[in-house]
Amino acid sequence: MTTQPPVPPTEPGQPGAAVPMCYRHPDRETYVRCQRCERPICPDCMREAAVGHQCVECVRGGNRTTRQAKAVFGGRAVTVPRVAYTLIAINVVAYALQTFIPGFTNDYALSPYHVYAGGEWYRMLTAAFLHFPLTQGTLGITHILFNMWALYAIGPELERRLGSARFAALYLVSALGGSVAVYLLGEVTVGASGAIYGLFGALFVVSKRLGYDPRGVVWLIVINVALTLFLSSVISWQGHLGGLVTGGLLAAAFAYAPAKNRDLVQWAAVGVIVVALILTVVLLPPYATLNAF
């Protein structure tokens, strides 16, 4: 608590010294001054500074000129990985809807035929938030548990390195890349695995760029790819590999963009990849689906 020094005595016949008043509250006496502008400030207007106190306006002005902390590869620094946790929540809510609403899975699953013949493009992304329903027993619950565990394990770290906006772009574009591969070469499917494999690819690229030993990530990818191919009768290898390649390419653009024009290069890469994926669907038919007839 700041104490006020006593007013010095005045000589007989001289007027008393003027008592300083807070510049924001003229009715309040104060003997404390802002360390920057030296205006008198009352306790309500004081803000702790490195030395002494500052007034509200000086603190506000200092915040405007202070550079915002950055993530390693651009964007604002991330303390709480809100995007990763939000994606987990969306997947869980979608799974609940699949469980309690009949026909929900069929309406939003990725069906190459419905995309090609019916123009239902939304399925390319909605399917990435769905999983095998509980009606499929152990396979259903295992599917979402593995994907959400992987997202929880590596998502926050990637979000801190890339920044929230870039991480969200990585996840969604990887999901789209996996869906495009399924559209071309697969059948009806659901799952966040394309996006998750995109995160695997991004984790490898980021590890290499930062000089970390990537062998652990390589083994993670190799084991999961092997499982994908071994269980190809129940797992969409197209979605997994499509997401892996897309995520790796986009992460390379994020990690190796030149510092001078980093933002421009990174977001241009996002646009180029998205346009390329869209054109692939526009120009090419779903080969596996058409060959099945």
Side-chain angles (χ1 to χ4, degrees), residues 226-259:
L227 287 173
T228 296
L229 298 177
F230 180 74
L231 300 174
S232 59
S233 60
V234 294
I235 293 178
S236 173
W237 63 266
Q238 301 91 340
H240 289 193
L241 298 185
L244 179 66
V245 172
T246 303
L249 289 174
L250 185 54
F254 285 160
Y256 291 93

Side-chain angles (χ1 to χ4, degrees), residues 23 46 79 98-99 105 124 158-159 168 232-233 236-237 239 245 257 269:
Y23 84 98
M46 297 177 190
T79 54
Q98 288 181 258
T99 302
T105 302
M124 305 287 285
L158 283 172
E159 185 173 349
S232 59
S233 60
S236 173
W237 63 266
V245 172

Side-chain angles (χ1 to χ4, degrees), residues 76-162:
R76 292 185 178 182
V78 175
T79 54
V80 179
R82 293 184 175 87
V83 172
Y85 296 153
T86 299
L87 289 170
I88 293 174
I90 293 173
N91 277 274
V92 172
V93 170
Y95 197 68
L97 295 175
Q98 288 181 258
T99 302
F100 297 108
I101 300 179
F104 188 88
T105 302
N106 291 334
D107 290 340
Y108 295 98
L110 174 54
S111 167
Y113 175 79
H114 285 85
V115 174
Y116 177 71
E120 298 178 5
W121 284 65
Y122 60 87
R123 292 175 179 266
M124 305 287 285
L125 282 179
T126 57
F129 293 94
L130 305 180
H131 292 83
F132 293 130
L134 283 173
T135 54
Q136 297 197 17
T138 304
L139 178 63
I141 193 65
T142 302
H143 191 206
I144 187 171
L145 285 179
F146 172 79
N147 283 339
M148 293 306 98
W149 170 83
L151 179 53
Y152 178 79
I154 65 177
E157 178 63 18
L158 283 172
E159 185 173 349
R160 291 187 179 98
R161 300 291 184 181
L162 299 173

Side-chain angles (χ1 to χ4, degrees), residues 200-210 217 247-249 251-253 255-256:
F200 289 162
L203 188 61
F204 171 78
V205 172
V206 168
S207 297
K208 288 285 290 183
R209 182 69 177 87
L210 295 176
V217 183
L249 289 174
Y256 291 93

